Structures are given as structure tokens and as C-alpha cells.
Amino acid sequence: MEGFAGFMSLLSLALIVFSGFALFDAAIRREDGFRAADKKTKPFWMIILGIAFVVSLIFPILSFLPIIGLIASIVYMVDVRPALRSLPGGGRSRGGGSSSDGPYGPYNGGR
């Protein structure tokens, strides 16, 4: 039984790390990227993935709720994340940028 308990604790830790990574990845993506990729909204995914992360922390892996959270995290990672990464700039928030930056780069006044 000790081996099974150790395996389940490793599996639970892997679920926590996976859902935490999905939550972090969604947090660094730009909000307009979600709309451009036609994948709901950033607040929607932040709430879903945040709940999945908290549930994976609180409940044991063999209960029903962490499995639902795992499914939500998997959907984000295999459907939403690749769609966001395929956008120009990878859908990530830019740290700074000029006010003259357009969707295809800096605007140079037609020169």
C-alpha cells in the first residue's frame, strides 16, 4: 500500500503542476488574443483554470472534482494554447511598446 500511496501523491503533485502551468500560461497571454483566436475570453479561462488549480490543491486525486479540473486544463493546453501561440507575437503580452506600434509592427509614417 505504501507504493500505491507514493504513486498517488506523485500523480497529485503532477496534476497540481500541470494545472498551475496552464493557469500561468493563460495569465501571460494577451486578452485580445483569446478573442482573435475565437476561444472564449481571458477572464473565462482564468476562472476555469484557477478553480481547477485550487481544486487540485484541496481534494485528493481520486475524487470527482480534480478529474474535471484536469479535463479543463487539458482542453486549454491542447486547444486554446496552440491557437494563441499561432497568433502573431504568440499571443503574449508585450512588456512595452511604442504608441505607434500597429498590428504588423511599428508605424513609420509611410516612409
Side-chain angles (χ1 to χ4, degrees):
M1 285 309 266
E2 288 178 25
F4 181 72
F7 174 73
M8 293 308 287
S9 65
L10 285 176
L11 195 59
S12 179
L13 179 64
L15 176 61
I16 291 168
V17 169
F18 183 68
S19 61
F21 176 76
L23 179 63
F24 176 76
D25 187 73
I28 64 171
R29 301 292 172 180
R30 291 178 27 191
E31 203 278 321
D32 60 342
F34 286 84
R35 286 181 277 131
D38 199 26
K39 301 294 180 186
K40 296 285 185 190
T41 62
K42 183 175 182 172
F44 172 82
W45 282 107
M46 292 297 294
I47 290 169
I48 295 295
L49 294 172
I51 290 172
F53 180 70
V54 170
V55 163
S56 67
L57 285 173
I58 296 173
F59 293 99
I61 188 77
L62 291 177
S63 68
F64 189 67
L65 291 175
I67 303 301
I68 294 173
L70 175 64
I71 291 169
S73 298
I74 290 172
V75 167
Y76 176 81
M77 293 298 286
V78 301
D79 184 38
V80 178
R81 185 172 187 248
L84 292 173
R85 291 184 70 176
S86 69
L87 296 173
R92 289 196 175 189
S93 298
R94 289 189 279 186
S98 173
S99 62
S100 65
D101 283 355
Y104 306 109
Y107 177 71
N108 62 5
R111 290 179 246 156

